[in-house]
Amino acid sequence: MTEESTNVVVVGLQWGDEGKGKVVDALSERFDIVVRYQGGANAGHTVIANGKKFILQLVPTGILWKDTVGVIGPGVVVNPEALTRELEALEAAGIKVGNRLLVSDRAHLIMPYHRSHEVAAEQVRGGARIGTTAKGIGPTYEDKSARRGLRACDLRNPEAFLRKCKEVLAEKDRIASALFEGTPFGGDEWIGQYLETARQLIPRLVDVSEYLNTEMDRGKRVLFEGAQGTLLDIDHGTYPYVTSSSATAGGASTGTGVGPTRIGAVLGVSKAYTTRVGSGPFPTEIHGREGEELRTRGSEFGAVTGRPRRCGWFDVPAARYGARLNNLNAMIITKLDILDTLEEIPVGVEYEYEGRKLTSFPADIDILSQVKVHYRTLPGWKQPTYGLQDFSELPQKAKDYLRFLSDQVGVEIAMISTGPERGQAIWRDESRFANLSASR
Ligand code: GDP
Ligand code: IMO
Ligand code: MG
């Protein structure tokens, strides 16, 4: 194993759902520890292993491999009830988690009032709603930044937890009743039940930074599993249509307490086309029947919410932006097989705004919503690539398509996914990350 592939970040290059779960699962056999660094149960990472489907939300995907330790880092927000349910479902499906899952004692807790706050906020926004996953993610990060969050370490002292929780509720009620009539957050009868469930996490709580750095000193290999995607990042994404955490590779450092120079490489996952769930600008979106056909062929429905995903073509300016933000070492292209039947495949290669070519990805979403996209249309290969595992078996036109994406973005492609099942993937022998391919 080379130094750069010892500790690796897997990050989504688009608006999420790029197939990170599939990719992280494929890589996990080569790693000792898989750590989530941001987000929460808004993620839905799908793995199909031996015909069995798993959708991981908060638990790191590596947990499906029996010798891998899963870690939830301090940058993640945790809903104890959702985590308990997810663990029960995994055990019921035959995955023995036991003590292989550790949780940061600095992770912030999602409380019931965060979810009610989110529902109310989305209602108030009306047509301008973000289209969140309604898991309470945004309001929990709001309270974290406002320094009124409750953290996993607070569970160890129930009296202090109760006191802090009541203080927060009183503050929220004061603010709410100053603005509106009534006390929407009133009542604290649920706290006892919450605490009882949440305290089941105590045996799993650790100082994640200390744990990871010590294990790395011992030569253990760590995979940092990104959730959401670059364009949903709070700082760099299509704000305000973003999630509330640092989904880019930088989050892997702040969200775990592992210094950036200890991380060897960053792999960016992208579909061979683009999708987005929820509201917000989407320059290469395909409207009408063609978009619907791609949605049907790609089964593009949200893993968490079941919402139909908006579909579009591969977006080179966005991918270049992601390559820079994450300083990508390589890309992984998923769902190539979904394009198998197309006569021709447009690729968005340039944005134009008010008659001028844009040289960088705009900060202003009003501009992004109005850009004119220039396309290059490549011929389709019209042959099945589903399940292929050998690059030489790919039709020449599929190879040309992949080469075009790689040249345009300026990043090599290390792996191509050709189906949802574990093992349906092509590793490029010439990639310096080929040593990450599993032994299967
Ligand atoms: P994630 O959130 O990035 O892990 O992605 P999701 O799991 O939300 O969505 C990706 C979907 O595509 C899932 O249903 C996967 O099973 C499926 N998938 C992943 N890779 C491939 C692939 O190469 N081909 C096909 N046909 N499906 C894939
Ligand atoms: P994975 O990890 C796709 C989207 C929501 C919404 C916006 C904000 O499976 O790729 P939030 O609930 O996070 O406040 O919602 O972000 N979103 C995702 N879209 N995949 C995800 O996760 C997402 N997590 C959040 O649809 O537009
Ligand atoms: Mg997903």
Side-chain angles (χ1 to χ4, degrees):
M1 202 60 59
T2 59
E3 204 176 312
E4 74 173 346
S5 50
T6 303
N7 302 302
V8 169
V9 184
V10 170
V11 68
L13 260 191
Q14 302 169 311
W15 282 283
D17 300 332
E18 298 89 348
K20 299 175 294 294
K22 151 89 199 243
V23 169
V24 170
D25 176 66
L27 297 176
S28 292
E29 197 183 4
R30 293 285 187 212
F31 290 86
D32 303 294
I33 299 166
V34 178
V35 55
R36 276 278 307 271
Y37 56 87
Q38 42 71 232
N42 47 350
H45 295 179
T46 315
V47 176
I48 304 181
N50 310 317
K52 227 176 183 175
K53 181 168 174 172
F54 298 89
I55 298 178
L56 285 307
Q57 291 197 246
L58 191 52
V59 178
T61 299
I63 209 76
L64 301 178
W65 289 91
K66 67 177 181 18
D67 297 321
T68 307
V69 174
V71 177
I72 293 178
V76 175
V77 289
V78 175
N79 176 343
E81 199 196 338
L83 180 56
T84 307
R85 266 188 275 120
E86 189 173 344
L87 289 172
E88 283 167 3
L90 281 168
E91 296 277 354
I95 305 297
K96 296 199 169 25
V97 178
N99 55 11
R100 286 191 298 126
L101 179 74
L102 302 173
V103 180
S104 168
D105 56 4
R106 289 179 168 81
H108 277 250
L109 297 172
I110 299 181
M111 309 293 286
Y113 50 77
H114 290 132
R115 273 171 291 137
S116 37
H117 176 162
E118 181 170 16
V119 171
E122 284 280 86
Q123 261 168 13
V124 168
R125 285 187 197 113
R129 70 183 171 277
I130 295 163
T132 69
T133 58
K135 302 286 178 188
I137 306 292
T140 307
Y141 281 113
E142 280 178 40
D143 277 358
K144 172 178 174 173
S145 292
R147 294 156 296 184
R148 65 166 94 84
L150 284 136
R151 297 185 300 162
C153 59
D154 294 322
L155 297 169
R156 294 192 182 113
N157 183 341
E159 277 165 34
F161 183 92
L162 266 165
R163 179 177 49 74
K164 286 183 193 173
C165 192
K166 286 187 179 177
E167 281 167 12
V168 173
L169 276 175
E171 182 186 340
K172 284 182 183 291
D173 276 345
R174 275 200 305 277
I175 295 169
S177 53
L179 297 172
F180 313 105
E181 271 181 42
T183 54
F185 295 109
D188 53 20
E189 52 296 331
W190 52 269
I191 303 176
Q193 180 59 48
Y194 183 95
L195 202 49
E196 197 179 313
T197 309
R199 279 175 59 82
Q200 292 174 35
L201 296 184
I202 290 175
R204 300 187 185 277
L205 299 185
V206 294
D207 179 324
V208 162
S209 170
E210 185 178 49
Y211 172 78
L212 291 178
N213 281 284
T214 307
E215 292 300 305
M216 289 161 104
D217 291 343
R218 291 194 183 124
K220 294 285 165 91
R221 297 184 299 249
V222 180
L223 177 61
F224 299 80
E225 177 178 358
Q228 289 78 54
T230 297
L231 301 174
L232 287 172
D233 182 278
I234 183 76
D235 293 302
H236 307 288
T238 48
Y239 191 89
Y241 297 100
V242 292
T243 191
S244 300
S245 65
S246 298
T248 44
S253 183
T254 57
T256 59
V258 173
T261 55
R262 275 208 106 164
I263 299 175
V266 180
L267 305 180
V269 185
S270 172
K271 281 177 186 162
Y273 49 98
T274 308
T275 63
R276 164 162 218 176
V277 209
S279 324
F282 184 172
T284 62
E285 183 165 15
I286 315 165
H287 299 280
R289 189 180 49 82
E290 219 181 346
E292 269 163 41
E293 279 170 12
L294 193 53
R295 179 179 311 129
T296 308
R297 260 202 317 281
S299 312
E300 296 296 355
F301 296 90
V304 175
T305 57
R307 288 179 293 174
R309 294 176 183 149
R310 299 155 65 194
C311 294
W313 303 117
F314 189 91
D315 182 335
V316 170
R320 276 198 200 128
Y321 178 61
R324 164 160 57 77
L325 285 170
N326 296 296
N327 194 31
L328 288 191
N329 297 86
M331 285 195 292
I332 291 172
I333 301 292
T334 61
K335 304 194 92 161
L336 184 74
D337 53 293
I338 301 304
L339 305 181
D340 282 351
T341 56
L342 296 179
E343 198 72 41
E344 42 187 34
I345 311 168
V347 175
V349 289
E350 201 172 280
Y351 293 165
E352 179 190 315
Y353 180 68
E354 292 185 337
R356 273 201 297 276
K357 176 190 167 183
L358 291 186
T359 51
S360 56
F361 196 79
D364 185 342
I365 58 157
D366 287 339
I367 295 178
L368 190 63
S369 316
Q370 290 170 47
V371 293
K372 177 174 174 210
V373 181
H374 291 269
Y375 290 92
R376 275 280 290 280
T377 300
L378 280 79
W381 43 92
K382 296 195 290 168
Q383 278 178 58
T385 64
Y386 183 80
L388 294 185
Q389 297 183 29
D390 195 331
F391 191 74
S392 65
E393 291 173 10
L394 281 180
Q396 185 56 44
K397 286 184 175 133
K399 290 181 186 167
D400 294 344
Y401 181 74
L402 293 164
R403 156 69 53 194
F404 183 76
L405 300 189
S406 170
D407 287 348
Q408 286 283 319
V409 182
V411 178
E412 73 156 1
I413 295 172
M415 192 253 250
I416 302 134
S417 173
T418 55
E421 270 273 353
R422 183 183 273 178
Q424 289 179 317
I426 297 172
W427 280 92
R428 301 300 313 274
D429 290 337
E430 62 273 37
S431 161
R432 58 197 195 285
F433 296 100
N435 58 8
L436 292 178
S437 77
S439 53
R440 286 174 292 277

